[in-house]
Amino acid sequence: MPKPIFGQNGSGMHTHQSLFRKDVNAFHDPKGQWELSEVALAYIGGLLEHARGFCAVTNLLVNSYKRLVPGYEAPVNVAWSMRNRSPLIRVPERRGTGTRVELRSPDPAANPYLALSVMLAAGLDGVATKADWREPVNENIWEMSFRERRRLRIDDLPHDLNEALDELEKDDVMKVALGEHVTRHFIEAKRQEWRDYITQVSAWELDSYLAKY
């Protein structure tokens, strides 16, 4: 369960990703900026471009979005960095064969087959299209103003499962990665889960409203 305890950090499934050509790490370029290859930067760009689209698959429960909230260790900002832990993607310091990107949003409730499929499809689409990887954000995004985040083109991950499903439906690359059959049945099942959730009356609502209204 991604967020089993209120007020504490949830359970993540940080996923480290790299690409190899035989024994050579395609993400490493000793002469590149930050020793990252153009392939690595484009792959990062693909993850950033499709992050909102694949979020419903990597974070597929109503409860998943109670982990993806500001103020905790889980990311909520679509950005990348090498030292900062507030963005979605972190590039660990190791280079050479260990060069990799760490996607920090997925949680352990995800179906690993579907989650890995959409993450890989997003990154490879970035490589194929030479996606804009933007600049790394090394400041603490949580302390930035809304205007500053907009200037740096930092978007938010979806705030709930319903919004995430809307984003998935708009992302053709993610739908192709899943296939028509899986996409249709996945969205149908998750829409029903959302409808079931929003019709419930929680203990918080009773505690907050019943005696007042």
Side-chain angles (χ1 to χ4, degrees):
M1 186 174 178
K3 184 77 169 184
I5 304 174
F6 170 73
Q8 296 190 21
N9 292 316
S11 301
M13 188 176 70
H14 297 193
T15 307
H16 292 250
Q17 304 172 47
S18 58
L19 296 176
F20 278 76
R21 294 188 181 99
K22 296 185 177 180
D23 296 330
V24 178
N25 190 331
F27 280 4
H28 183 237
D29 180 356
K31 297 180 181 179
Q33 192 173 17
W34 309 295
E35 291 191 45
L36 296 175
S37 68
E38 291 298 320
V39 171
L41 293 172
Y43 192 96
I44 290 170
L47 291 176
L48 295 174
E49 182 176 337
H50 295 287
R52 290 176 57 82
F54 63 62
C55 197
V57 181
T58 57
N59 307 83
L60 82 174
L61 302 182
V62 167
N63 181 258
S64 296
Y65 297 86
K66 298 185 178 182
R67 168 180 168 258
L68 299 176
V69 294
Y72 293 89
E73 291 184 359
V76 296
N77 305 113
V78 181
W80 73 283
S81 177
M82 280 161 283
R83 301 178 185 87
N84 189 353
R85 292 183 180 271
S86 58
L88 173 70
I89 298 168
R90 187 176 73 92
V91 179
E93 291 185 4
R94 188 177 175 188
R95 293 294 182 264
T97 58
T99 307
R100 63 195 188 276
V101 300
E102 175 193 7
L103 185 69
R104 302 178 57 251
S105 58
D107 66 52
N111 179 311
Y113 302 101
L114 300 184
L116 291 171
S117 294
V118 294
M119 287 186 278
L120 184 59
L124 291 178
D125 182 67
V127 174
T129 61
K130 294 181 170 56
D132 180 7
W133 45 269
R134 313 170 199 176
E135 289 292 324
V137 180
N138 294 319
E139 297 83 16
N140 190 331
I141 300 175
W142 294 326
E143 297 177 356
M144 290 181 181
S145 66
F146 175 81
R147 179 175 294 180
E148 181 69 7
R149 293 198 302 273
R150 292 284 76 80
R151 184 184 71 81
L152 295 172
R153 298 165 56 204
I154 299 172
D155 205 350
D156 294 336
L157 289 174
H159 299 95
D160 56 47
L161 180 60
N162 190 55
E163 183 182 349
L165 292 168
D166 290 341
E167 293 296 322
L168 174 60
E169 287 187 318
K170 293 187 292 186
D171 195 318
D172 291 336
V173 173
M174 296 298 95
K175 290 190 291 185
V176 168
L178 293 172
E180 189 277 332
H181 177 83
V182 171
T183 299
R184 176 164 51 85
H185 287 280
F186 179 87
I187 291 175
E188 287 176 359
K190 289 297 160 182
R191 291 290 191 195
Q192 185 59 53
E193 183 176 333
W194 177 253
R195 287 191 292 268
D196 291 344
Y197 170 69
I198 61 174
T199 59
Q200 298 297 313
V201 179
S202 68
W204 181 89
E205 292 170 280
L206 293 173
D207 292 340
S208 299
Y209 302 139
L210 185 60
K212 296 178 182 178
Y213 298 96

